Amino acid sequence: MCDSLIYDVVIAGAGPVGLFLACELRLANLSVLVLEQASSLDSPLKALPFGMRGLSIATVEALYRRGLLPEIEARRRDSDQLQRSASGARGAQQARRPGGHFAGIQFFLDTVDTSTWPFRLPGSASPLMSTMEHIESVLSARARGMGVDIRYGCGVESFEQSSDEVTVQAAGKTYRAHWLVGCDGGRSTVRKVGNFEFSGTEPEFTGYSVEIELADPDQLAAGRHYTETGMYNFQPPGTLAMVDFDGGGFHRTRPVTLVHVQTVLRRISGMDATVTALHLATTWTDRAYQATTYRNGRVLLAGDAAHIHSPLGGQGLNLGLGDAMNLGWKLAATVRGTAPHDLLDSYGAERHPPGSQVLDWSRAQVALMRPSPSSRALAAIIGDLIETRDGASYFAKRVWGASLRYDLDRDHDLVGRSAPDFELTDGTKLGDLLSAGRGVLLDFHHEAPLRKLARRWGDQLLYVASDAKDTLGLTAALIRPDGIVAWASEVLPVPEDCAMAATRWFRQIE
Ligand SMILES: Cc1cc2nc3c(=O)[nH]c(=O)nc-3n(C[C@H](O)[C@H](O)[C@H](O)COP(=O)(O)OP(=O)(O)OC[C@H]3O[C@@H](n4cnc5c(N)ncnc54)[C@H](O)[C@@H]3O)c2cc1C
């Protein structure tokens, strides 16, 4: 059976990345169909404790710029309560507030110095915690509210592309679209059927996240412990994570049984622990692979479909949402015919490097976690460095995603970075101006040439002439729909030709 509609875009996968991308595309009024393999989004693994996700500064900014942050934050308060009860007395006893970790080595907020990070205004975004369950429910409600068609139990099985469309087979039906985006997770069918090259490094371990009951929970010390055979992190009464350096051999080869969990726990902890019940279990590895290109004709990849790595340090979701924020407006402009011919390729060019850095970040953590004397010695050195102000600030900048900068034509140090959240004299913030998904030209000095230029971009660009409470010394700035600064000036009068050149990404102006 064939759906007679031709959609602008079909997205495979209604995970957080697919849903967020769908919302981005609907901002530009594209027709979007999301095909999801699972029959519903519900899964106990998406709730606490295993569904907890750290959202980086870049993600918080993206959610804020699309008006989604209040909903995520409202639910965060529930999560905070649940997390406190999940981590029990140990969490409450911790006098210093942790800011994140590297291979389990924590840094603390009281040591992080963000004052040296460039272009940060007071009240800048900070990272937060939420759960997959909450994030997906907020995003799916938003997507549906915007008119996205989401079909569950409809896994993409194969597809074919021609020069002007993609024909997708899913659950016995055929769908047609001008573009297909694979947001279908680490084992992406779109990536495999689309013959995307996927390269990287094989795993060293199998990781376990399990919810158990123990005959004697007091036998296991709470917290994270490195041993001669691996690592375990126990949160009483029964939440346990383990890393077993088995070369990743167990992962997805056999079911995770109570007996197996007990065997691995005894081996890693050296304790004669007895597991009396196994309530929930999942495994993962440190396999680190990335698609060498994120586009093949009319087919694109985003999120885990484009890159996989261990969940250490919690970066995959942030990376994927960053992909969606970068891709959405570019694909929309391409569909609408307003994009320069190479705009869509800048998606892969810009997003591949941060993906590759995250893979290396996770590999570096694995090197510190190996059960070897040299890794323990190295971990001790990192532990000393992370306690210093510079050390903690460095790790925070990386873990919180504050170091992101795209390699754009640079004539100002702000170009390629996330725009500061300028507050205009009437109290409007840049974040509010970006909520419609349009680019913004901020003209702090009411420059006539910029006003004239903006008229030529029509309704695709929001031109705002206003002073700001703190302009950080700028006279004007051009902000892309994804909140990245494309051009900035500190001089007066603003050189019109520079502003014009900077709009290449936005629209071909002859
Ligand atoms: C234990 C753990 C902790 C983590 N902690 C963090 C963290 O703190 N911070 C962070 O940033 N990241 C974290 N991550 C990683 C993060 O969860 C993933 O990177 C993120 O979920 C990727 O989102 P996605 O939408 O790309 O893929 P997914 O969430 O995997 O969603 C893909 C969707 O596609 C569907 N699908 C699959 N195949 C098909 C098909 N053929 N057709 C249609 N649909 C299909 C799936 O059912 C699924 O709904 C963690 C991961 C784990 C395992």
Side-chain angles (χ1 to χ4, degrees), residues 52-73:
M52 183 58 75
R53 295 291 182 270
L55 303 182
S56 69
I57 286 178
T59 296
V60 170
E61 285 177 339
L63 295 168
Y64 162 62
R65 286 170 179 156
R66 298 300 187 249
L68 285 158
L69 193 56
E71 283 172 76
I72 298 281
E73 283 197 306

Side-chain angles (χ1 to χ4, degrees), residues 372-497:
S372 72
S374 50
S375 291
R376 299 280 52 77
L378 192 53
I381 292 169
I382 297 290
D384 287 344
L385 291 176
I386 218 167
E387 271 296 325
T388 66
R389 205 157 194 78
D390 283 352
S393 306
Y394 168 80
F395 282 97
K397 197 171 179 182
R398 295 289 303 264
V399 172
W400 296 353
S403 51
L404 178 75
R405 186 175 186 193
Y406 296 135
D407 190 14
L408 308 183
D409 288 341
R410 297 173 181 188
D411 47 8
H412 191 282
D413 197 30
L414 187 54
V415 171
R417 298 182 196 273
S418 176
D421 195 25
F422 294 110
E423 182 175 349
L424 307 181
T425 38
D426 69 356
T428 307
K429 294 213 170 175
L430 175 63
D432 305 322
L433 301 174
L434 286 165
S435 63
R438 289 191 288 166
V440 177
L441 178 59
L442 287 176
D443 178 358
F444 294 130
H445 287 268
H446 301 258
E447 288 279 287
L450 285 182
R451 185 185 297 274
K452 199 176 89 200
L453 198 59
R455 272 196 218 112
R456 302 176 64 175
W457 296 318
D459 67 354
Q460 293 177 69
L461 184 82
L462 189 61
Y463 169 73
V464 180
S466 165
D467 200 358
K469 292 203 172 130
D470 184 350
T471 63
L472 294 170
L474 301 183
T475 52
L478 182 63
I479 322 294
R480 307 193 320 191
D482 57 357
I484 298 298
V485 177
W487 168 83
S489 173
E490 288 185 3
V491 298
L492 281 175
V494 171
E496 188 182 340
D497 54 337

Side-chain angles (χ1 to χ4, degrees), residues 86-321:
S87 60
R90 191 180 153 268
Q93 280 162 9
Q94 233 173 355
R96 299 172 72 195
R97 287 184 60 206
H101 72 89
F102 185 75
I105 307 166
Q106 279 188 330
F107 57 87
F108 293 92
L109 294 181
D110 57 13
T111 341
V112 175
D113 177 11
T114 57
S115 66
T116 54
W117 298 0
F119 305 110
R120 274 178 73 83
L121 287 167
S124 294
S126 52
L128 61 82
M129 303 295 282
S130 190
T131 64
M132 277 288 272
E133 189 180 53
H134 292 160
I135 296 162
E136 285 189 347
S137 80
V138 168
L139 291 177
S140 63
R142 169 64 67 95
R144 282 189 193 288
M146 295 176 81
V148 176
D149 187 354
I150 308 173
R151 302 199 191 166
Y152 293 94
C154 230
V156 170
E157 288 144 11
S158 66
F159 63 85
E160 281 170 19
Q161 60 168 316
S162 65
S163 59
D164 57 358
E165 77 176 57
V166 189
T167 314
V168 180
Q169 271 78 44
K173 273 188 146 191
T174 301
Y175 300 90
R176 295 167 67 197
H178 294 299
W179 297 88
L180 169 67
V181 188
C183 299
D184 49 344
R187 286 178 285 170
S188 169
T189 300
V190 173
R191 187 184 68 229
K192 289 172 195 155
V193 175
N195 287 322
F196 285 85
E197 191 185 337
F198 202 46
S199 65
T201 48
E202 289 303 318
E204 296 186 36
F205 64 69
T206 297
Y208 297 80
S209 297
V210 293
E211 201 57 43
I212 52 174
E213 282 177 38
L214 287 163
D216 181 6
D218 291 339
Q219 221 181 342
L220 277 188
R224 191 182 297 256
H225 308 275
Y226 291 92
T227 70
E228 287 179 6
T229 48
M231 184 280 290
Y232 72 94
N233 185 354
F234 179 53
Q235 301 296 331
T239 305
L240 178 69
M242 298 185 289
V243 164
D244 185 14
F245 278 81
D246 64 348
F250 181 81
H251 176 66
R252 290 202 178 120
T253 55
R254 277 156 290 165
V256 190
T257 61
L258 183 152
V259 172
H260 179 75
V261 169
Q262 179 171 284
T263 306
V264 177
L265 177 58
R266 285 182 176 180
R267 178 153 39 81
I268 290 179
S269 68
M271 302 288 174
D272 199 20
T274 301
V275 179
T276 53
L278 174 66
H279 296 300
L280 197 59
T282 185
T283 62
W284 34 277
T285 73
D286 56 321
R287 189 167 187 256
Y289 268 65
Q290 187 177 21
T292 51
T293 165
Y294 287 10
R295 177 185 174 191
N296 179 358
R298 294 188 162 269
V299 183
L300 295 128
L301 299 176
D304 279 12
H307 35 71
I308 55 164
H309 55 87
S310 83
L312 297 169
Q315 307 243 352
L317 172 63
N318 294 305
L319 196 55
L321 293 175

